[in-house]
Amino acid sequence: MSPGGQDVVTTETNRSTTEESSSGLRSTLKSMLILGVVFALVQFAFSTLPIVSILPKAGLIGLFIAAFGIGLLDSSARYPTVVLMGLMTAALVTVVGNSKLLVNGIVPEVSLAIGIAGGAIVALVGYYFGRDLKAGVSQELP
């Protein structure tokens, strides 16, 4: 026993557990940042490209496509991260899209709420379908 009353082995175990949890947090934050950047770029591209932007809610279509692609390529399930990043990027795109109204003092709360909730739902559904397709394609036939 050490003078502090703790065993040296216990201290080493606690230190390695702390290092593992901090590296897991860094990994989660890194994946959230990457997802957020990808979602934002695709949403902005779909919202501003002349050919695609004529579609209603083109940003949400872009978000669905990005989440679907990430679901196909991702090896681990990150549903909460995808929903959070979909919500945040949809909020950003909705606020920027309504910036003229916001500058004039008009706050379309319903439009903002629908855009934000729609982004979270669309990201979740796109990611789910991407992972489902990946599971179906990689499954062995009976």
Side-chain angles (χ1 to χ4, degrees), residues 43-73:
Q43 269 191 298
F44 279 122
F46 267 73
S47 297
T48 58
L49 288 174
I51 295 174
V52 182
S53 65
I54 61 173
L55 298 171
K57 300 293 181 193
L60 292 178
I61 295 169
L63 181 60
F64 178 85
I65 292 170
F68 184 84
I70 290 171
L72 278 174
L73 300 175

Side-chain angles (χ1 to χ4, degrees), residues 27-28 31 35 74-83 127 131:
S27 173
T28 301
S31 68
L35 283 173
D74 200 4
S75 61
S76 62
R78 301 175 200 260
Y79 290 101
T81 305
V82 167
V83 170
Y127 189 71
R131 289 194 47 86

Side-chain angles (χ1 to χ4, degrees), residues 71-137:
L72 278 174
L73 300 175
D74 200 4
S75 61
S76 62
R78 301 175 200 260
Y79 290 101
T81 305
V82 167
V83 170
L84 182 64
M85 289 296 101
L87 185 134
M88 290 175 67
T89 57
L92 179 68
V93 169
T94 304
V95 167
V96 170
N98 291 320
S99 61
K100 289 181 183 177
L101 295 175
L102 294 173
V103 168
N104 293 328
I106 302 169
V107 182
E109 292 93 2
V110 174
S111 174
L112 291 174
I114 290 172
I116 292 169
I121 292 168
V122 165
L124 177 66
V125 170
Y127 189 71
Y128 172 77
F129 282 140
R131 289 194 47 86
D132 189 45
L133 179 65
K134 179 182 177 181
V137 168

